[in-house]
Amino acid sequence: MTELDVILGIDFGGTKVAIGLSDRDGTLLAQRRIDTDAEAGAQQVIDRALAAAAELLADNGHGGPSAIGVVSPGIVLPDEILLAPNVPGWQQLRLRDLVRARFGDLPVAVGTDVKAAGLAEARWGALRGVDPAVFLYLGTGLAAAIVLGGKVLAGANGAAGEIGYNLRGVSDTDGFASGSAPLEEAVGGRGLGRRVSALTGRPTSAAELFELAKQDPAAKELLTDALDELSVHVANLAIAIDPVRIAVGGGLVRSAEVVLPPLRYRLSQAVPFPPALVPAEFDQDGALRGAIALALDA
């Protein structure tokens, strides 16, 4: 394999950055992860990630990639990133320009992490050959990628599938205008962590909530209510899209035995033509594989 055969993918997440090399078939050849250290700001994340990518290439005998795919939370545009407030300065980044400044003028594709993960599932994973379909991300945040005609629906502003902004009731009259994401703040991983922390009186993560719910009635009630609410929104999405299959990925799927049954039940009871609900093929590295898919398309 020559250096011109390798594809570089970078997935910027809220807590980690995943970096990977693949061949032209999308097969991962090498990976590396670094901490985001979000509180230290955006520029240091970019600098450390691009340095780590260069090291990964060198360690595997490659001087440079033939194409690069970069994905991030939010709506990734050429000169800014919208709806991504968790890393200070992230919304002012020009990702494509920064990557080219490090690696030269070669094909660089940028995109939203969840949509990229949906593309990976449609191309190589649990949604391959299925149309229409939905990739549902349940992690720190909450979003969906809608696959139609073999492509992921972008929407007029790149925000199709941003179901974390769904209203929970009539009191959420201007969730988007205020910058809040009502559903994500209630049932996303970060939101669940805040809610269970208020319950325990100490910093507690969403992962800990699943353990607590096994013995603590209040934690169990919190988790049950959250999954019940999430299942309503997933069912409504299925009614609107009429997908053949929904693949679920993200960190919360580590507790698939708890998360998936209430979603599956609601789909079976509420949706006229219930789709199959399955775990994603790439439940933990889908966005990285999606970055590689974007690079291959570039």
Side-chain angles (χ1 to χ4, degrees):
M1 181 180 292
T2 70
E3 67 180 45
L4 293 179
D5 292 318
V6 73
I7 305 297
L8 171 63
I10 305 175
D11 166 28
F12 287 98
T15 58
K16 55 79 184 169
V17 182
I19 305 161
L21 305 179
S22 85
D23 61 19
R24 290 183 181 274
D25 294 323
T27 301
L28 279 171
L29 306 172
Q31 294 187 65
R32 183 170 297 175
R33 292 190 177 213
I34 64 172
D35 291 335
T36 301
D37 193 11
E39 281 125 15
Q43 192 60 52
Q44 59 84 27
V45 184
I46 294 291
D47 293 342
R48 290 189 298 108
L50 296 182
E55 289 174 6
L56 186 63
L57 285 159
D59 290 347
N60 287 272
H62 302 290
S66 59
I68 303 174
V70 184
V71 299
S72 157
I75 309 305
V76 183
L77 302 175
D79 56 353
E80 62 181 336
I81 301 173
L82 306 178
L83 308 185
N86 295 321
V87 178
W90 200 254
Q91 299 192 123
Q92 286 74 51
L93 292 179
R94 301 168 68 100
L95 273 182
R96 183 183 282 117
D97 291 350
L98 291 167
V99 172
R100 281 183 172 156
R102 179 65 187 247
F103 289 101
D105 190 15
L106 49 78
V108 177
V110 296
T112 299
D113 53 1
V114 172
K115 288 183 176 63
L119 178 62
E121 291 294 334
R123 185 162 299 179
W124 300 305
L127 302 180
R128 186 174 183 179
V130 178
D131 201 323
V134 171
F135 169 71
L136 177 65
Y137 174 78
L138 305 177
T140 303
L142 174 65
I146 301 163
V147 180
L148 295 171
K151 298 181 179 180
V152 176
L153 180 66
N157 301 286
E162 293 291 335
I163 62 172
Y165 289 85
N166 281 12
L167 303 182
R168 300 176 61 202
V170 294
S171 61
D172 295 320
T173 55
D174 67 340
F176 184 86
S178 68
S180 67
L183 184 61
E184 180 174 294
E185 290 165 10
V187 303
R190 185 177 285 110
L192 285 176
R194 281 196 295 265
R195 293 173 70 185
V196 72
S197 295
L199 189 67
T200 62
R202 60 178 176 81
T204 310
S205 68
E208 290 177 272
L209 171 60
F210 286 92
E211 289 302 313
L212 278 173
K214 295 176 182 178
Q215 64 228 349
D216 184 279
K220 181 178 181 180
E221 182 179 5
L222 190 162
L223 181 58
T224 299
D225 288 348
L227 292 175
D228 282 349
E229 179 162 15
L230 175 64
S231 71
V232 170
H233 290 268
V234 174
N236 284 340
L237 179 64
I239 291 168
I241 304 301
D242 190 24
V244 177
R245 187 179 300 162
I246 299 175
V248 188
L252 296 186
V253 185
R254 292 189 181 99
S255 300
E257 73 284 356
V258 177
V259 172
L260 296 189
L263 303 185
R264 195 172 281 125
Y265 176 78
R266 183 78 69 172
L267 289 170
S268 70
Q269 296 298 305
V271 181
F273 302 97
L277 184 79
V278 301
E281 181 79 14
F282 312 120
D283 62 328
Q284 304 305 321
D285 65 355
L288 175 61
R289 291 176 181 272
I292 288 167
L294 291 174
L296 287 167
D297 289 347

